[in-house]
Amino acid sequence: MEKEQRMQILSDLVELHSVNGDELPVANYLKKLLDNAGIKNEILPLKGATNRANLVAEVGSGKPVLVISGHMDTVDVNEDKWNSDPFKISKKGDLLYGRGTTDMKAGLAAMVIALIELKEKQVEIPGTIRLLATAGEEVGQPGAEQLQQAGYLDDADALLIGEPSGYNRSVYASKGEININLLAKGKTAHSSMPFMGINAVENMLELLNQIKQRMHELSEDKHNEVLGDTVFNIDVIHGGNQVNAIPGTANAELNIRTIPELTNETIIAELQSVVEHYNADHQGQIEMSVGMDIVPIVGDPNAKLVQVVHAAAKSYVQQQKQSAAELKAMQQEASLLGQTYEPGMILNEGVSGGTDASKFLINNQTGFAYLVYGPGSNTPHQDNEYVSEQMYLDFIEIYKQIFQNYGK
């Protein structure tokens, strides 16, 4: 495939609006590319949704089975804060600007193009490469959950996700995430007669203090060597609508990043208990519901997949020139991980952000051959998101080597 074709595919994907949904047009586009290359593939509509779908494709046969994955959705856009149209590639030097360029249409495009170019050259693939292009990774991961439940990971020997890592990092562990929604129901009254009402905001603040204390108690002696500590945040709170009225309702949203030593299940049960005890002793009621609930994943840092990926990327990593500031930052990061870093190395690490692996590996949360490695910058979810053109092109070649070598 010529460079122009490679660039056009990424441009076309960025132009397809798949903000927090509407993945079907992306799946249809990928299907056409794969059909034209003679690669077996299938679109799987997302249950209970319209204009949403996963796509599954395979090359090769038999064992081992390397599952590769990328998501088709993106986060929302505030176009007023962009310096260019977020749904058209804007090139400035080596940088390609557009929504999803980093997170993660460049990684997905690179994987698909790598499969197509290997097929075009009739390169024999040892074992099976199975592509899972997912819907909804950014919100709840319903696409990955549906694929896992349908058995697409049952025979997998390894999982490679093309989320943005850049050249110098690979990720084998990621924290889980819980979003908790709280709704306080009180009774409105005139602020001159507060005894006539039930102040939902005050109730919510009191409960939040109790929850914060309980989370501290639960997490203070729990630590993971790779992922660190549980992270708890109160991110959203609303209540009342005017200064001279006792508020009858209030709501809050909590975000918790989890580690295997303090499970999602334990946290949810403990917080529900705090809410129930609060309700038993107070007027007014507070309701708790769980939004996102994805588990932490800690893979095998010594898995064959890690070795194959690092070997495939080595020559490209060594060609990169790092500034003194970039080198210092990487060395400091390595030090925090108990590692050392020199130019040309790939740090293998854990991160706070989650991936579709939390649904894919729900039955293999520790010790599985799992890695994140893909093109991108540090701009996911940001205005003026971008990816390096050269990095995008390099990762196509890196993926081709991985696909050829993993099964050997």
Side-chain angles (χ1 to χ4, degrees):
M1 190 180 294
E2 299 293 331
K3 176 182 174 180
E4 290 73 16
Q5 292 174 282
R6 291 172 161 190
M7 301 310 302
Q8 188 62 52
I9 288 171
L10 179 57
S11 178
D12 290 344
L13 289 175
V14 170
E15 289 185 20
L16 293 171
H17 292 221
S18 54
V19 173
N20 294 334
D22 295 322
E23 296 92 351
L24 182 57
V26 179
N28 285 332
Y29 179 85
L30 296 178
K31 180 172 178 57
K32 184 176 180 180
L33 293 176
L34 294 163
D35 284 345
N36 290 340
I39 294 175
K40 179 176 67 174
N41 70 94
E42 180 182 9
I43 289 177
L44 303 172
L46 204 63
K47 296 175 183 177
T50 58
N51 212 40
R52 308 195 72 180
N54 293 318
L55 177 139
V56 178
E58 279 192 6
V59 297
S61 62
K63 285 284 201 176
V65 177
L66 171 60
V67 174
I68 63 173
S69 184
H71 63 84
M72 297 179 284
D73 59 319
T74 69
V75 295
D76 208 348
V77 175
N78 185 342
E79 296 193 34
D80 292 339
K81 294 187 177 182
W82 280 67
N83 297 327
S84 59
D85 185 340
F87 296 107
K88 291 186 181 298
I89 291 286
S90 176
K91 189 173 186 295
K92 296 180 181 179
D94 176 57
L95 303 183
L96 307 172
Y97 291 84
R99 175 54 86 214
T101 47
T102 271
D103 190 12
M104 60 157 293
K105 289 181 175 178
L108 180 60
M111 285 181 161
V112 170
I113 291 168
L115 289 176
I116 291 171
E117 292 185 0
L118 291 173
K119 179 72 173 180
E120 288 175 345
K121 294 185 178 180
Q122 298 182 332
V123 175
E124 183 176 351
I125 301 295
T128 302
I129 308 295
R130 179 179 300 145
L131 169 69
L132 304 180
T134 62
E137 189 273 345
E138 298 291 2
V139 182
Q141 303 174 345
E145 183 175 39
Q146 181 173 310
L147 290 168
Q148 188 277 330
Q149 292 174 349
Y152 285 95
L153 277 296
D154 287 355
D155 60 348
D157 295 288
L159 171 65
L160 174 64
I161 294 183
E163 290 270 20
S165 65
Y167 292 109
N168 297 99
R169 297 176 179 86
S170 62
V171 175
Y172 72 95
S174 52
K175 285 185 176 179
E177 182 175 2
I178 308 171
N179 289 339
I180 300 289
N181 303 306
L182 298 169
L183 174 62
K185 296 180 179 180
K187 182 181 178 182
T188 58
H190 197 283
S191 61
S192 65
M193 297 181 288
F195 55 88
M196 298 292 291
I198 300 172
N199 194 314
V201 168
E202 289 185 359
N203 284 358
M204 179 65 78
L205 292 176
E206 185 177 348
L207 176 69
L208 289 175
N209 282 328
Q210 292 184 13
I211 286 176
K212 186 176 180 179
Q213 176 61 31
R214 186 60 184 138
M215 282 300 304
H216 174 73
E217 295 168 353
L218 289 169
S219 62
E220 62 179 341
D221 62 344
K222 305 292 193 307
H223 180 78
N224 183 272
E225 291 185 1
V226 179
L227 296 174
D229 301 323
T230 303
V231 176
F232 169 79
N233 293 301
I234 301 169
D235 291 323
V236 177
I237 184 165
H238 295 292
N241 53 25
Q242 60 187 58
V243 73
N244 62 345
I246 300 299
T249 61
N251 66 280
E253 298 177 39
L254 318 178
N255 181 263
I256 308 167
R257 302 296 171 132
T258 63
I259 59 176
E261 289 74 9
L262 181 56
T263 67
N264 292 33
E265 184 179 13
T266 296
I267 291 172
I268 292 169
E270 289 288 338
L271 295 192
Q272 187 63 59
S273 178
V274 173
V275 172
E276 290 172 0
H277 281 90
Y278 183 88
N279 285 337
D281 295 334
H282 291 77
Q283 289 186 312
Q285 293 290 296
I286 298 182
E287 299 174 357
M288 171 179 145
S289 61
V290 180
M292 183 175 288
D293 178 12
I294 60 174
V295 298
I297 301 294
V298 179
D300 179 2
N302 301 309
K304 178 183 177 180
L305 176 64
V306 177
Q307 299 169 22
V308 170
V309 168
H310 287 200
K314 183 177 180 179
S315 63
Y316 297 93
V317 175
Q318 291 177 339
Q319 292 172 18
Q320 305 311 307
K321 294 181 179 180
Q322 291 180 301
S323 67
E326 290 171 333
L327 178 58
K328 182 178 180 180
M330 291 296 295
Q331 289 173 334
Q332 290 175 337
E333 183 176 331
S335 178
L336 292 172
L337 298 169
Q339 303 179 38
T340 58
Y341 177 82
E342 298 295 337
M345 289 180 58
I346 301 175
L347 282 181
N348 203 29
E349 60 186 10
V351 297
S352 291
T355 72
D356 274 331
S358 293
K359 296 297 185 182
F360 285 149
L361 302 180
I362 190 70
N363 298 323
N364 293 284
Q365 295 177 30
T366 58
F368 193 79
Y370 156 64
L371 201 68
V372 173
Y373 197 62
S377 65
N378 61 352
T379 60
H381 299 196
Q382 296 182 23
D383 301 321
N384 301 305
E385 176 184 356
Y386 67 83
V387 69
S388 157
E389 177 182 271
Q390 189 58 55
M391 185 185 293
Y392 164 61
L393 296 173
D394 285 346
F395 265 84
I396 296 172
E397 301 302 326
I398 291 169
Y399 287 146
K400 285 160 69 173
Q401 291 187 43
I402 295 169
F403 300 164
Q404 292 175 80
N405 294 330
Y406 178 74
K408 290 181 180 178

PDB file of all heavy atoms in Angstrom, residues 182 204-220 230-234 254 256 262 270-271 274-275:
ATOM      1  N   LEU A 182     -24.675   9.526  43.302  1.00  0.00           N
ATOM      2  CA  LEU A 182     -25.446   9.673  44.531  1.00  0.00           C
ATOM      3  C   LEU A 182     -26.531  10.725  44.330  1.00  0.00           C
ATOM      4  O   LEU A 182     -26.272  11.806  43.801  1.00  0.00           O
ATOM      5  CB  LEU A 182     -24.536  10.103  45.686  1.00  0.00           C
ATOM      6  CG  LEU A 182     -23.414   9.131  46.060  1.00  0.00           C
ATOM      7  CD1 LEU A 182     -22.441   9.806  47.011  1.00  0.00           C
ATOM      8  CD2 LEU A 182     -23.978   7.859  46.676  1.00  0.00           C
ATOM      9  N   MET A 204     -26.020  15.483  51.747  1.00  0.00           N
ATOM     10  CA  MET A 204     -25.035  14.965  50.792  1.00  0.00           C
ATOM     11  C   MET A 204     -23.617  15.230  51.291  1.00  0.00           C
ATOM     12  O   MET A 204     -22.750  14.342  51.237  1.00  0.00           O
ATOM     13  CB  MET A 204     -25.230  15.612  49.421  1.00  0.00           C
ATOM     14  CG  MET A 204     -24.226  15.150  48.371  1.00  0.00           C
ATOM     15  SD  MET A 204     -24.386  13.388  47.955  1.00  0.00           S
ATOM     16  CE  MET A 204     -25.832  13.461  46.880  1.00  0.00           C
ATOM     17  N   LEU A 205     -23.359  16.417  51.805  1.00  0.00           N
ATOM     18  CA  LEU A 205     -22.017  16.744  52.297  1.00  0.00           C
ATOM     19  C   LEU A 205     -21.628  15.844  53.469  1.00  0.00           C
ATOM     20  O   LEU A 205     -20.482  15.387  53.565  1.00  0.00           O
ATOM     21  CB  LEU A 205     -21.957  18.211  52.704  1.00  0.00           C
ATOM     22  CG  LEU A 205     -22.073  19.233  51.568  1.00  0.00           C
ATOM     23  CD1 LEU A 205     -22.109  20.647  52.128  1.00  0.00           C
ATOM     24  CD2 LEU A 205     -20.935  19.081  50.570  1.00  0.00           C
ATOM     25  N   GLU A 206     -22.583  15.587  54.352  1.00  0.00           N
ATOM     26  CA  GLU A 206     -22.295  14.716  55.497  1.00  0.00           C
ATOM     27  C   GLU A 206     -21.972  13.305  55.028  1.00  0.00           C
ATOM     28  O   GLU A 206     -21.020  12.671  55.507  1.00  0.00           O
ATOM     29  CB  GLU A 206     -23.486  14.709  56.460  1.00  0.00           C
ATOM     30  CG  GLU A 206     -23.215  13.932  57.740  1.00  0.00           C
ATOM     31  CD  GLU A 206     -24.375  13.998  58.717  1.00  0.00           C
ATOM     32  OE1 GLU A 206     -25.297  14.827  58.510  1.00  0.00           O
ATOM     33  OE2 GLU A 206     -24.369  13.216  59.686  1.00  0.00           O
ATOM     34  N   LEU A 207     -22.767  12.801  54.083  1.00  0.00           N
ATOM     35  CA  LEU A 207     -22.516  11.455  53.564  1.00  0.00           C
ATOM     36  C   LEU A 207     -21.173  11.381  52.849  1.00  0.00           C
ATOM     37  O   LEU A 207     -20.423  10.414  53.011  1.00  0.00           O
ATOM     38  CB  LEU A 207     -23.627  11.027  52.611  1.00  0.00           C
ATOM     39  CG  LEU A 207     -23.404   9.660  51.948  1.00  0.00           C
ATOM     40  CD1 LEU A 207     -23.526   8.545  52.974  1.00  0.00           C
ATOM     41  CD2 LEU A 207     -24.343   9.427  50.788  1.00  0.00           C
ATOM     42  N   LEU A 208     -20.848  12.398  52.064  1.00  0.00           N
ATOM     43  CA  LEU A 208     -19.574  12.387  51.344  1.00  0.00           C
ATOM     44  C   LEU A 208     -18.391  12.337  52.303  1.00  0.00           C
ATOM     45  O   LEU A 208     -17.396  11.663  52.036  1.00  0.00           O
ATOM     46  CB  LEU A 208     -19.468  13.610  50.429  1.00  0.00           C
ATOM     47  CG  LEU A 208     -20.383  13.614  49.205  1.00  0.00           C
ATOM     48  CD1 LEU A 208     -20.273  14.940  48.461  1.00  0.00           C
ATOM     49  CD2 LEU A 208     -20.054  12.457  48.263  1.00  0.00           C
ATOM     50  N   ASN A 209     -18.496  13.022  53.417  1.00  0.00           N
ATOM     51  CA  ASN A 209     -17.425  12.950  54.417  1.00  0.00           C
ATOM     52  C   ASN A 209     -17.301  11.541  54.983  1.00  0.00           C
ATOM     53  O   ASN A 209     -16.191  11.044  55.206  1.00  0.00           O
ATOM     54  CB  ASN A 209     -17.692  13.947  55.546  1.00  0.00           C
ATOM     55  CG  ASN A 209     -17.332  15.369  55.169  1.00  0.00           C
ATOM     56  OD1 ASN A 209     -16.404  15.582  54.389  1.00  0.00           O
ATOM     57  ND2 ASN A 209     -18.050  16.333  55.707  1.00  0.00           N
ATOM     58  N   GLN A 210     -18.442  10.880  55.195  1.00  0.00           N
ATOM     59  CA  GLN A 210     -18.409   9.507  55.699  1.00  0.00           C
ATOM     60  C   GLN A 210     -17.804   8.562  54.665  1.00  0.00           C
ATOM     61  O   GLN A 210     -17.012   7.667  55.001  1.00  0.00           O
ATOM     62  CB  GLN A 210     -19.815   9.049  56.085  1.00  0.00           C
ATOM     63  CG  GLN A 210     -20.392   9.769  57.278  1.00  0.00           C
ATOM     64  CD  GLN A 210     -21.755   9.225  57.693  1.00  0.00           C
ATOM     65  OE1 GLN A 210     -22.174   8.164  57.248  1.00  0.00           O
ATOM     66  NE2 GLN A 210     -22.444   9.969  58.557  1.00  0.00           N
ATOM     67  N   ILE A 211     -18.168   8.750  53.409  1.00  0.00           N
ATOM     68  CA  ILE A 211     -17.627   7.908  52.338  1.00  0.00           C
ATOM     69  C   ILE A 211     -16.121   8.119  52.211  1.00  0.00           C
ATOM     70  O   ILE A 211     -15.349   7.159  52.073  1.00  0.00           O
ATOM     71  CB  ILE A 211     -18.342   8.212  51.009  1.00  0.00           C
ATOM     72  CG1 ILE A 211     -19.749   7.613  51.033  1.00  0.00           C
ATOM     73  CG2 ILE A 211     -17.544   7.680  49.819  1.00  0.00           C
ATOM     74  CD1 ILE A 211     -20.579   7.930  49.810  1.00  0.00           C
ATOM     75  N   LYS A 212     -15.699   9.378  52.250  1.00  0.00           N
ATOM     76  CA  LYS A 212     -14.268   9.672  52.136  1.00  0.00           C
ATOM     77  C   LYS A 212     -13.486   8.997  53.261  1.00  0.00           C
ATOM     78  O   LYS A 212     -12.409   8.415  53.031  1.00  0.00           O
ATOM     79  CB  LYS A 212     -14.053  11.181  52.159  1.00  0.00           C
ATOM     80  CG  LYS A 212     -12.616  11.611  51.914  1.00  0.00           C
ATOM     81  CD  LYS A 212     -12.513  13.129  51.847  1.00  0.00           C
ATOM     82  CE  LYS A 212     -11.069  13.558  51.599  1.00  0.00           C
ATOM     83  NZ  LYS A 212     -10.949  15.040  51.517  1.00  0.00           N
ATOM     84  N   GLN A 213     -14.028   9.042  54.486  1.00  0.00           N
ATOM     85  CA  GLN A 213     -13.366   8.408  55.615  1.00  0.00           C
ATOM     86  C   GLN A 213     -13.315   6.897  55.443  1.00  0.00           C
ATOM     87  O   GLN A 213     -12.283   6.258  55.698  1.00  0.00           O
ATOM     88  CB  GLN A 213     -14.104   8.757  56.914  1.00  0.00           C
ATOM     89  CG  GLN A 213     -13.548   8.067  58.158  1.00  0.00           C
ATOM     90  CD  GLN A 213     -12.102   8.432  58.453  1.00  0.00           C
ATOM     91  OE1 GLN A 213     -11.670   9.546  58.157  1.00  0.00           O
ATOM     92  NE2 GLN A 213     -11.354   7.498  59.039  1.00  0.00           N
ATOM     93  N   ARG A 214     -14.413   6.303  54.960  1.00  0.00           N
ATOM     94  CA  ARG A 214     -14.438   4.850  54.774  1.00  0.00           C
ATOM     95  C   ARG A 214     -13.467   4.419  53.692  1.00  0.00           C
ATOM     96  O   ARG A 214     -12.785   3.391  53.822  1.00  0.00           O
ATOM     97  CB  ARG A 214     -15.854   4.384  54.428  1.00  0.00           C
ATOM     98  CG  ARG A 214     -16.000   2.864  54.362  1.00  0.00           C
ATOM     99  CD  ARG A 214     -15.654   2.244  55.686  1.00  0.00           C
ATOM    100  NE  ARG A 214     -15.695   0.784  55.644  1.00  0.00           N
ATOM    101  CZ  ARG A 214     -14.802  -0.001  56.205  1.00  0.00           C
ATOM    102  NH1 ARG A 214     -13.778   0.530  56.876  1.00  0.00           N
ATOM    103  NH2 ARG A 214     -14.898  -1.300  56.137  1.00  0.00           N
ATOM    104  N   MET A 215     -13.372   5.198  52.614  1.00  0.00           N
ATOM    105  CA  MET A 215     -12.425   4.859  51.550  1.00  0.00           C
ATOM    106  C   MET A 215     -10.991   4.928  52.065  1.00  0.00           C
ATOM    107  O   MET A 215     -10.150   4.100  51.689  1.00  0.00           O
ATOM    108  CB  MET A 215     -12.607   5.794  50.356  1.00  0.00           C
ATOM    109  CG  MET A 215     -13.807   5.466  49.471  1.00  0.00           C
ATOM    110  SD  MET A 215     -13.728   3.799  48.748  1.00  0.00           S
ATOM    111  CE  MET A 215     -12.148   3.851  47.898  1.00  0.00           C
ATOM    112  N   HIS A 216     -10.711   5.884  52.926  1.00  0.00           N
ATOM    113  CA  HIS A 216      -9.370   5.969  53.517  1.00  0.00           C
ATOM    114  C   HIS A 216      -9.074   4.731  54.349  1.00  0.00           C
ATOM    115  O   HIS A 216      -7.987   4.148  54.266  1.00  0.00           O
ATOM    116  CB  HIS A 216      -9.249   7.226  54.369  1.00  0.00           C
ATOM    117  CG  HIS A 216      -7.960   7.322  55.126  1.00  0.00           C
ATOM    118  ND1 HIS A 216      -6.751   7.603  54.517  1.00  0.00           N
ATOM    119  CD2 HIS A 216      -7.676   7.138  56.444  1.00  0.00           C
ATOM    120  CE1 HIS A 216      -5.789   7.601  55.414  1.00  0.00           C
ATOM    121  NE2 HIS A 216      -6.313   7.313  56.595  1.00  0.00           N
ATOM    122  N   GLU A 217     -10.045   4.318  55.149  1.00  0.00           N
ATOM    123  CA  GLU A 217      -9.867   3.132  55.985  1.00  0.00           C
ATOM    124  C   GLU A 217      -9.645   1.881  55.146  1.00  0.00           C
ATOM    125  O   GLU A 217      -8.806   1.031  55.477  1.00  0.00           O
ATOM    126  CB  GLU A 217     -11.084   2.940  56.891  1.00  0.00           C
ATOM    127  CG  GLU A 217     -11.275   4.043  57.916  1.00  0.00           C
ATOM    128  CD  GLU A 217     -12.627   3.980  58.595  1.00  0.00           C
ATOM    129  OE1 GLU A 217     -13.482   3.158  58.177  1.00  0.00           O
ATOM    130  OE2 GLU A 217     -12.845   4.756  59.545  1.00  0.00           O
ATOM    131  N   LEU A 218     -10.397   1.765  54.072  1.00  0.00           N
ATOM    132  CA  LEU A 218     -10.293   0.577  53.222  1.00  0.00           C
ATOM    133  C   LEU A 218      -8.966   0.500  52.477  1.00  0.00           C
ATOM    134  O   LEU A 218      -8.416  -0.581  52.264  1.00  0.00           O
ATOM    135  CB  LEU A 218     -11.440   0.567  52.200  1.00  0.00           C
ATOM    136  CG  LEU A 218     -12.845   0.288  52.717  1.00  0.00           C
ATOM    137  CD1 LEU A 218     -13.867   0.576  51.617  1.00  0.00           C
ATOM    138  CD2 LEU A 218     -12.979  -1.156  53.197  1.00  0.00           C
ATOM    139  N   SER A 219      -8.462   1.653  52.070  1.00  0.00           N
ATOM    140  CA  SER A 219      -7.340   1.659  51.130  1.00  0.00           C
ATOM    141  C   SER A 219      -5.978   1.930  51.757  1.00  0.00           C
ATOM    142  O   SER A 219      -4.953   1.735  51.099  1.00  0.00           O
ATOM    143  CB  SER A 219      -7.592   2.697  50.034  1.00  0.00           C
ATOM    144  OG  SER A 219      -7.680   4.004  50.576  1.00  0.00           O
ATOM    145  N   GLU A 220      -5.937   2.360  53.024  1.00  0.00           N
ATOM    146  CA  GLU A 220      -4.674   2.838  53.580  1.00  0.00           C
ATOM    147  C   GLU A 220      -3.592   1.762  53.651  1.00  0.00           C
ATOM    148  O   GLU A 220      -2.398   2.070  53.584  1.00  0.00           O
ATOM    149  CB  GLU A 220      -4.891   3.446  54.961  1.00  0.00           C
ATOM    150  CG  GLU A 220      -5.422   2.503  56.006  1.00  0.00           C
ATOM    151  CD  GLU A 220      -5.576   3.201  57.356  1.00  0.00           C
ATOM    152  OE1 GLU A 220      -4.946   4.260  57.545  1.00  0.00           O
ATOM    153  OE2 GLU A 220      -6.330   2.686  58.211  1.00  0.00           O
ATOM    154  N   THR A 230      -5.107   2.837  45.480  1.00  0.00           N
ATOM    155  CA  THR A 230      -6.452   3.217  45.062  1.00  0.00           C
ATOM    156  C   THR A 230      -6.553   4.744  45.049  1.00  0.00           C
ATOM    157  O   THR A 230      -6.032   5.419  45.944  1.00  0.00           O
ATOM    158  CB  THR A 230      -7.495   2.648  46.038  1.00  0.00           C
ATOM    159  OG1 THR A 230      -7.352   1.228  46.101  1.00  0.00           O
ATOM    160  CG2 THR A 230      -8.909   3.001  45.600  1.00  0.00           C
ATOM    161  N   VAL A 231      -7.236   5.273  44.040  1.00  0.00           N
ATOM    162  CA  VAL A 231      -7.421   6.725  43.927  1.00  0.00           C
ATOM    163  C   VAL A 231      -8.914   7.028  44.030  1.00  0.00           C
ATOM    164  O   VAL A 231      -9.721   6.445  43.300  1.00  0.00           O
ATOM    165  CB  VAL A 231      -6.863   7.256  42.599  1.00  0.00           C
ATOM    166  CG1 VAL A 231      -7.146   8.749  42.463  1.00  0.00           C
ATOM    167  CG2 VAL A 231      -5.366   6.995  42.507  1.00  0.00           C
ATOM    168  N   PHE A 232      -9.274   7.930  44.936  1.00  0.00           N
ATOM    169  CA  PHE A 232     -10.682   8.288  45.169  1.00  0.00           C
ATOM    170  C   PHE A 232     -10.862   9.780  44.950  1.00  0.00           C
ATOM    171  O   PHE A 232     -10.132  10.596  45.498  1.00  0.00           O
ATOM    172  CB  PHE A 232     -11.085   7.915  46.599  1.00  0.00           C
ATOM    173  CG  PHE A 232     -12.418   8.463  47.026  1.00  0.00           C
ATOM    174  CD1 PHE A 232     -13.595   7.850  46.626  1.00  0.00           C
ATOM    175  CD2 PHE A 232     -12.498   9.599  47.828  1.00  0.00           C
ATOM    176  CE1 PHE A 232     -14.830   8.352  47.020  1.00  0.00           C
ATOM    177  CE2 PHE A 232     -13.722  10.113  48.225  1.00  0.00           C
ATOM    178  CZ  PHE A 232     -14.899   9.480  47.816  1.00  0.00           C
ATOM    179  N   ASN A 233     -11.873  10.151  44.156  1.00  0.00           N
ATOM    180  CA  ASN A 233     -12.142  11.564  43.883  1.00  0.00           C
ATOM    181  C   ASN A 233     -13.634  11.851  43.938  1.00  0.00           C
ATOM    182  O   ASN A 233     -14.460  11.058  43.462  1.00  0.00           O
ATOM    183  CB  ASN A 233     -11.645  11.965  42.491  1.00  0.00           C
ATOM    184  CG  ASN A 233     -10.140  11.931  42.375  1.00  0.00           C
ATOM    185  OD1 ASN A 233      -9.444  12.610  43.107  1.00  0.00           O
ATOM    186  ND2 ASN A 233      -9.635  11.124  41.461  1.00  0.00           N
ATOM    187  N   ILE A 234     -13.992  13.008  44.521  1.00  0.00           N
ATOM    188  CA  ILE A 234     -15.337  13.572  44.396  1.00  0.00           C
ATOM    189  C   ILE A 234     -15.264  14.585  43.274  1.00  0.00           C
ATOM    190  O   ILE A 234     -14.648  15.645  43.413  1.00  0.00           O
ATOM    191  CB  ILE A 234     -15.788  14.240  45.706  1.00  0.00           C
ATOM    192  CG1 ILE A 234     -15.782  13.233  46.850  1.00  0.00           C
ATOM    193  CG2 ILE A 234     -17.175  14.862  45.535  1.00  0.00           C
ATOM    194  CD1 ILE A 234     -15.964  13.866  48.223  1.00  0.00           C
ATOM    195  N   LEU A 254     -18.771  10.313  41.982  1.00  0.00           N
ATOM    196  CA  LEU A 254     -17.462   9.919  42.488  1.00  0.00           C
ATOM    197  C   LEU A 254     -16.746   9.077  41.445  1.00  0.00           C
ATOM    198  O   LEU A 254     -17.379   8.305  40.722  1.00  0.00           O
ATOM    199  CB  LEU A 254     -17.605   9.092  43.771  1.00  0.00           C
ATOM    200  CG  LEU A 254     -18.645   9.554  44.796  1.00  0.00           C
ATOM    201  CD1 LEU A 254     -18.683   8.591  45.962  1.00  0.00           C
ATOM    202  CD2 LEU A 254     -18.345  10.968  45.264  1.00  0.00           C
ATOM    203  N   ILE A 256     -13.426   6.394  41.179  1.00  0.00           N
ATOM    204  CA  ILE A 256     -12.471   5.606  41.952  1.00  0.00           C
ATOM    205  C   ILE A 256     -11.643   4.766  40.998  1.00  0.00           C
ATOM    206  O   ILE A 256     -12.203   4.052  40.154  1.00  0.00           O
ATOM    207  CB  ILE A 256     -13.201   4.693  42.963  1.00  0.00           C
ATOM    208  CG1 ILE A 256     -14.178   5.507  43.815  1.00  0.00           C
ATOM    209  CG2 ILE A 256     -12.195   3.960  43.842  1.00  0.00           C
ATOM    210  CD1 ILE A 256     -15.158   4.663  44.600  1.00  0.00           C
ATOM    211  N   LEU A 262      -7.825  -4.243  46.446  1.00  0.00           N
ATOM    212  CA  LEU A 262      -9.089  -3.730  46.967  1.00  0.00           C
ATOM    213  C   LEU A 262     -10.075  -3.754  45.807  1.00  0.00           C
ATOM    214  O   LEU A 262     -10.117  -2.846  44.996  1.00  0.00           O
ATOM    215  CB  LEU A 262      -8.920  -2.322  47.526  1.00  0.00           C
ATOM    216  CG  LEU A 262     -10.160  -1.664  48.138  1.00  0.00           C
ATOM    217  CD1 LEU A 262     -10.752  -2.513  49.244  1.00  0.00           C
ATOM    218  CD2 LEU A 262      -9.825  -0.259  48.662  1.00  0.00           C
ATOM    219  N   GLU A 270     -19.094  -1.851  50.272  1.00  0.00           N
ATOM    220  CA  GLU A 270     -18.811  -1.019  51.441  1.00  0.00           C
ATOM    221  C   GLU A 270     -19.485   0.346  51.338  1.00  0.00           C
ATOM    222  O   GLU A 270     -20.038   0.855  52.331  1.00  0.00           O
ATOM    223  CB  GLU A 270     -17.304  -0.849  51.610  1.00  0.00           C
ATOM    224  CG  GLU A 270     -16.579  -2.098  52.068  1.00  0.00           C
ATOM    225  CD  GLU A 270     -16.849  -2.442  53.517  1.00  0.00           C
ATOM    226  OE1 GLU A 270     -17.244  -1.526  54.280  1.00  0.00           O
ATOM    227  OE2 GLU A 270     -16.667  -3.609  53.904  1.00  0.00           O
ATOM    228  N   LEU A 271     -19.456   0.952  50.162  1.00  0.00           N
ATOM    229  CA  LEU A 271     -20.095   2.260  50.002  1.00  0.00           C
ATOM    230  C   LEU A 271     -21.608   2.148  50.104  1.00  0.00           C
ATOM    231  O   LEU A 271     -22.269   3.041  50.655  1.00  0.00           O
ATOM    232  CB  LEU A 271     -19.691   2.890  48.674  1.00  0.00           C
ATOM    233  CG  LEU A 271     -18.207   3.242  48.512  1.00  0.00           C
ATOM    234  CD1 LEU A 271     -17.993   4.126  47.295  1.00  0.00           C
ATOM    235  CD2 LEU A 271     -17.644   3.905  49.756  1.00  0.00           C
ATOM    236  N   VAL A 274     -22.392   2.143  53.726  1.00  0.00           N
ATOM    237  CA  VAL A 274     -22.331   3.484  54.307  1.00  0.00           C
ATOM    238  C   VAL A 274     -23.630   4.238  54.025  1.00  0.00           C
ATOM    239  O   VAL A 274     -24.198   4.892  54.919  1.00  0.00           O
ATOM    240  CB  VAL A 274     -21.125   4.265  53.753  1.00  0.00           C
ATOM    241  CG1 VAL A 274     -21.165   5.721  54.221  1.00  0.00           C
ATOM    242  CG2 VAL A 274     -19.822   3.619  54.189  1.00  0.00           C
ATOM    243  N   VAL A 275     -24.108   4.145  52.797  1.00  0.00           N
ATOM    244  CA  VAL A 275     -25.349   4.839  52.417  1.00  0.00           C
ATOM    245  C   VAL A 275     -26.527   4.301  53.214  1.00  0.00           C
ATOM    246  O   VAL A 275     -27.366   5.070  53.728  1.00  0.00           O
ATOM    247  CB  VAL A 275     -25.595   4.688  50.899  1.00  0.00           C
ATOM    248  CG1 VAL A 275     -26.983   5.226  50.533  1.00  0.00           C
ATOM    249  CG2 VAL A 275     -24.527   5.419  50.103  1.00  0.00           C
TER     250      VAL A 275
END
